Amino acid sequence: MVKNIAVIKGDGIGPEIVTQAQLVLDKVGEKFGHKFNYTDVLMGGCAIDATGVPLPQETVDVCLKSDSVLLGAVGGPKWDTLPGKLRPEAGLLGIRGALKLFANIRPAKLFPSLASACPLKEEITNAGLDLVIVRELIGGAYFGKRDTYVDENGIKTAYDTMAYSDFEIERIARVAFEMARKRRSKVHSVDKANVLDSSRLWREVVHKVKEEYPDVEYYDILVDNCAMQLVRNPGQFDVMVTENLFGDILSDEASMITGSLGMIPSASLGEGTLGLYEPIHGSAPDIAGQNKANPIATILSAAMMLRYSFDMAKEADAIENAVNAVLDEGFRTGDIMSDGKKLVSCTEMGALIVEKI
Ligand code: IPM
Ligand code: MN
């Protein structure tokens, strides 16, 4: 198969990690008889520097015409003082909206070879830790009406609105139930229905959808309790579905308890097969350009692309197995380094994974 991939390398460590993921994809192509064509496009800080805006229209056009999008990371201190709409992050929100990617899939799994990096006690993780957060990605507070204003008394006020419509909740709930069926058949829907109207509608709609999935075990859980349960007993979770802001926060928490932020990929999906794949970590400007970054989350994001956008399960397995094999042999980038392991650079880690495919 021939697939056209739009590539957004982004800022900070973005270019280094994406380059390694492309080398891995090339090796998969060679081995399985596919051709991946790449088109580089700008987004984030580098786009601001080159064009004045974080998300040039050309980037949106190229992405829409591609079979999928691979993204490194955006942002950095250089652009932190720009107004909201001109920040690199606005580019990321913009591309998610423009491609209508409403479902963000964030797996958090404890890699057995990295168990010592997990900050939780062993008795807590003995039950395992393998969950997926299904985060609604283009609604809620990040996309709602907002403003900052000064009233006649000189009082400055800012607000953001968290609004959800029934159809937005319904489609993300379906993604979660379908995903649960392919896993351990359990869904926790996370909300704040004891306080928020948007959460009460969320719960009402998810309850309707769950009638279609009687085979899936189902729980409502309040977001504050959920944050606590994630560190108390993460083994109870299989698929978690939640709105944008809660999902943003809980997915950072979930990734931390795996002990390896640098290992976690994500997929953002819409109605069709076009998706955007990116590591969940940021652009790490402090180590950019030093060949120290961990490329594994981006490489695993490429594997998710093969699985979800291109229906290439064998190929995705090949990448995931290669990553596991390299970790089993004791190779580590700095972020996941521990005593007795072999420290490697970003390019070395990429090459080791390529070799195993
Ligand atoms: C993420 C990030 C983004 C988000 C930011 C950079 C806009 O934190 O992907 O989780 O909040 O969605
Ligand atoms: Mn986040």
Side-chain angles (χ1 to χ4, degrees), residues 89 92 96 106 135 142 248:
E89 290 81 358
L92 187 53
R96 290 169 177 170
R106 297 190 161 182
R135 167 187 175 195
Y142 294 12
D248 187 19

PDB file of all heavy atoms in Angstrom, residues 89 92 96 106 135 142 248, ligand 1:
ATOM      1  N   GLU A  89       0.276  26.391  21.166  1.00  0.00           N
ATOM      2  CA  GLU A  89      -0.802  25.490  21.587  1.00  0.00           C
ATOM      3  C   GLU A  89      -2.082  25.732  20.792  1.00  0.00           C
ATOM      4  O   GLU A  89      -2.875  24.812  20.575  1.00  0.00           O
ATOM      5  CB  GLU A  89      -1.096  25.662  23.087  1.00  0.00           C
ATOM      6  CG  GLU A  89      -0.010  25.150  24.018  1.00  0.00           C
ATOM      7  CD  GLU A  89       1.157  26.125  24.188  1.00  0.00           C
ATOM      8  OE1 GLU A  89       1.164  27.208  23.555  1.00  0.00           O
ATOM      9  OE2 GLU A  89       2.074  25.786  24.968  1.00  0.00           O
ATOM     10  N   LEU A  92      -2.201  23.553  17.861  1.00  0.00           N
ATOM     11  CA  LEU A  92      -2.602  22.175  18.148  1.00  0.00           C
ATOM     12  C   LEU A  92      -4.119  22.064  18.291  1.00  0.00           C
ATOM     13  O   LEU A  92      -4.754  21.178  17.706  1.00  0.00           O
ATOM     14  CB  LEU A  92      -1.904  21.726  19.442  1.00  0.00           C
ATOM     15  CG  LEU A  92      -2.037  20.270  19.844  1.00  0.00           C
ATOM     16  CD1 LEU A  92      -1.622  19.355  18.704  1.00  0.00           C
ATOM     17  CD2 LEU A  92      -1.174  19.978  21.080  1.00  0.00           C
ATOM     18  N   ARG A  96      -6.731  20.057  15.596  1.00  0.00           N
ATOM     19  CA  ARG A  96      -7.696  19.054  16.073  1.00  0.00           C
ATOM     20  C   ARG A  96      -9.103  19.439  15.620  1.00  0.00           C
ATOM     21  O   ARG A  96      -9.878  18.598  15.174  1.00  0.00           O
ATOM     22  CB  ARG A  96      -7.653  18.974  17.609  1.00  0.00           C
ATOM     23  CG  ARG A  96      -6.386  18.351  18.154  1.00  0.00           C
ATOM     24  CD  ARG A  96      -6.297  18.550  19.676  1.00  0.00           C
ATOM     25  NE  ARG A  96      -5.121  17.910  20.252  1.00  0.00           N
ATOM     26  CZ  ARG A  96      -4.705  18.091  21.498  1.00  0.00           C
ATOM     27  NH1 ARG A  96      -5.376  18.903  22.313  1.00  0.00           N
ATOM     28  NH2 ARG A  96      -3.637  17.476  21.945  1.00  0.00           N
ATOM     29  N   ARG A 106      -5.677   7.660  24.605  1.00  0.00           N
ATOM     30  CA  ARG A 106      -4.406   7.715  25.323  1.00  0.00           C
ATOM     31  C   ARG A 106      -4.218   6.480  26.197  1.00  0.00           C
ATOM     32  O   ARG A 106      -4.739   6.399  27.302  1.00  0.00           O
ATOM     33  CB  ARG A 106      -4.345   8.972  26.187  1.00  0.00           C
ATOM     34  CG  ARG A 106      -4.399  10.218  25.340  1.00  0.00           C
ATOM     35  CD  ARG A 106      -4.104  11.463  26.126  1.00  0.00           C
ATOM     36  NE  ARG A 106      -3.729  12.526  25.203  1.00  0.00           N
ATOM     37  CZ  ARG A 106      -3.366  13.738  25.554  1.00  0.00           C
ATOM     38  NH1 ARG A 106      -3.319  14.064  26.816  1.00  0.00           N
ATOM     39  NH2 ARG A 106      -3.026  14.632  24.643  1.00  0.00           N
ATOM     40  N   ARG A 135     -10.522  10.564  25.515  1.00  0.00           N
ATOM     41  CA  ARG A 135     -10.763  11.963  25.867  1.00  0.00           C
ATOM     42  C   ARG A 135     -11.483  12.676  24.723  1.00  0.00           C
ATOM     43  O   ARG A 135     -11.009  12.648  23.586  1.00  0.00           O
ATOM     44  CB  ARG A 135      -9.404  12.625  26.128  1.00  0.00           C
ATOM     45  CG  ARG A 135      -9.438  14.134  26.212  1.00  0.00           C
ATOM     46  CD  ARG A 135      -8.021  14.711  26.310  1.00  0.00           C
ATOM     47  NE  ARG A 135      -8.038  16.156  26.266  1.00  0.00           N
ATOM     48  CZ  ARG A 135      -6.972  16.923  26.052  1.00  0.00           C
ATOM     49  NH1 ARG A 135      -5.774  16.356  25.862  1.00  0.00           N
ATOM     50  NH2 ARG A 135      -7.070  18.231  26.020  1.00  0.00           N
ATOM     51  N   TYR A 142     -12.071  24.046  26.246  1.00  0.00           N
ATOM     52  CA  TYR A 142     -11.006  24.441  25.328  1.00  0.00           C
ATOM     53  C   TYR A 142     -11.555  25.033  24.033  1.00  0.00           C
ATOM     54  O   TYR A 142     -10.828  25.654  23.275  1.00  0.00           O
ATOM     55  CB  TYR A 142     -10.100  23.238  24.989  1.00  0.00           C
ATOM     56  CG  TYR A 142      -9.315  22.699  26.173  1.00  0.00           C
ATOM     57  CD1 TYR A 142      -9.605  23.097  27.464  1.00  0.00           C
ATOM     58  CD2 TYR A 142      -8.280  21.797  25.992  1.00  0.00           C
ATOM     59  CE1 TYR A 142      -8.904  22.607  28.550  1.00  0.00           C
ATOM     60  CE2 TYR A 142      -7.564  21.296  27.071  1.00  0.00           C
ATOM     61  CZ  TYR A 142      -7.884  21.713  28.347  1.00  0.00           C
ATOM     62  OH  TYR A 142      -7.180  21.222  29.418  1.00  0.00           O
ATOM     63  N   ASP A 248      -7.585  15.751  29.782  1.00  0.00           N
ATOM     64  CA  ASP A 248      -6.249  16.332  29.704  1.00  0.00           C
ATOM     65  C   ASP A 248      -5.512  16.080  31.020  1.00  0.00           C
ATOM     66  O   ASP A 248      -4.376  15.603  31.054  1.00  0.00           O
ATOM     67  CB  ASP A 248      -6.373  17.838  29.427  1.00  0.00           C
ATOM     68  CG  ASP A 248      -5.032  18.497  29.160  1.00  0.00           C
ATOM     69  OD1 ASP A 248      -4.073  17.777  28.826  1.00  0.00           O
ATOM     70  OD2 ASP A 248      -4.951  19.734  29.280  1.00  0.00           O
TER      71      ASP A 248
HETATM   72  C1  IPM B   1      -2.248  17.719  25.453  1.00  0.00           C
HETATM   73  C2  IPM B   1      -1.703  19.096  25.680  1.00  0.00           C
HETATM   74  C3  IPM B   1      -2.572  20.072  24.930  1.00  0.00           C
HETATM   75  C4  IPM B   1      -3.978  19.951  25.466  1.00  0.00           C
HETATM   76  C5  IPM B   1      -2.090  21.522  24.965  1.00  0.00           C
HETATM   77  C6  IPM B   1      -0.653  21.660  24.554  1.00  0.00           C
HETATM   78  C7  IPM B   1      -2.984  22.411  24.141  1.00  0.00           C
HETATM   79  O1  IPM B   1      -1.636  19.384  27.023  1.00  0.00           O
HETATM   80  O2  IPM B   1      -2.270  17.261  24.305  1.00  0.00           O
HETATM   81  O3  IPM B   1      -2.655  17.082  26.425  1.00  0.00           O
HETATM   82  O4  IPM B   1      -4.281  20.547  26.496  1.00  0.00           O
HETATM   83  O5  IPM B   1      -4.760  19.249  24.873  1.00  0.00           O
END
